[in-house]
Amino acid sequence: MDYFTSDLHFGSVDVAQLSNRPFDSILDMNECIIRNWNERVKPDDKVYIIGDFMNRAETNPEHYLSQLPGRKHLIIGNHDHGWTQRIDVDEWFEAVEYMTEILSGGHLITLCHYPLMEWHGGRHGAFLIHGHLHDRRDAPFWPLLQRYKTALNAGVDINGFAPVTFGELVENNRRWKQMD
């Protein structure tokens, strides 16, 4: 099974507050994300983390990574540069890239932390799975991005703070894009 997630921001008090995440503390947020991950992901499942795994956390990255099963793939986000330099990423991830294309469930998918306006095959039904927006819809480009049915936000803020399947991602984004 393939799962998708982004913008977990383990350890980030700033992001928890800015995104109005519904947790009493950063510890509650971290524990919820880990619990939700472990309820879904099995050791042989692939998990595509589409950026911003952690941010300004005092805890070592291995603390979180060791609790999360699955064959992890990291797409670098704007908050992944510091912590990835402190560990052997090859020990924890099958791949670490800035952007990549995959085939999943018969779908051609571009994975990039940032929302794009064009991607390979986008005009012909190929998908983009991105992060970076959290649950924000206030960017100047939002009206355009909202029209793209094949651009999907993998942010935990709109996906139940859990990795989700492609089908769940499509449904969660449909609901999120209609919330205006």
Side-chain angles (χ1 to χ4, degrees):
M1 179 77 65
D2 290 349
Y3 288 97
F4 304 91
T5 190
S6 76
D7 299 287
L8 296 89
H9 286 280
F10 280 117
S12 178
V13 174
D14 294 344
V15 169
Q17 291 171 343
L18 289 172
S19 296
N20 293 315
R21 290 186 173 178
F23 303 103
D24 294 330
S25 70
I26 197 66
L27 181 62
D28 288 344
M29 181 188 81
N30 294 342
E31 289 176 351
C32 175
I33 292 171
I34 291 168
R35 182 177 55 255
N36 289 349
W37 181 303
N38 289 327
E39 287 175 357
R40 311 196 88 202
V41 178
K42 306 296 179 247
D44 287 335
D45 292 336
K46 284 185 185 176
V47 182
Y48 294 95
I49 303 166
I50 306 162
D52 292 359
F53 178 74
M54 61 185 288
N55 179 31
R56 298 183 184 171
E58 295 178 17
T59 307
N60 289 328
E62 293 95 340
H63 170 76
Y64 303 113
L65 290 165
S66 66
Q67 296 181 65
L68 303 173
R71 298 168 37 216
K72 295 178 269 305
H73 297 250
L74 177 65
I75 306 302
I76 297 286
N78 53 304
H79 293 290
D80 294 316
H81 297 285
W83 70 265
T84 56
Q85 301 303 309
R86 299 191 326 247
I87 66 169
D88 178 4
V89 293
D90 293 335
E91 179 181 338
W92 297 100
F93 296 97
E94 291 193 359
V96 177
E97 302 170 282
Y98 283 92
M99 183 167 57
T100 193
E101 289 181 359
I102 63 169
L103 280 172
S104 179
H107 302 285
L108 176 62
I109 302 171
T110 297
L111 303 174
C112 181
H113 180 64
Y114 306 98
L116 304 171
M117 293 296 109
E118 288 278 341
W119 58 93
H120 179 228
R123 295 181 189 194
H124 305 288
F127 286 84
L128 166 70
I129 300 179
H130 65 85
H132 194 64
L133 297 182
H134 297 253
D135 64 351
R136 293 185 359 256
R137 295 185 305 264
D138 59 355
F141 56 80
W142 172 251
L144 181 58
L145 184 61
Q146 185 179 24
R147 293 194 321 239
Y148 282 98
K149 302 296 185 230
T150 58
L152 305 173
N153 181 354
V156 295
D157 298 282
I158 70 162
N159 290 291
F161 298 96
V164 293
T165 64
F166 180 80
E168 292 167 330
L169 194 60
V170 169
E171 178 57 25
N172 294 344
N173 273 263
R174 184 191 62 74
R175 283 196 309 264
W176 178 62
K177 287 179 178 181
Q178 291 178 349
M179 296 173 68
D180 276 336

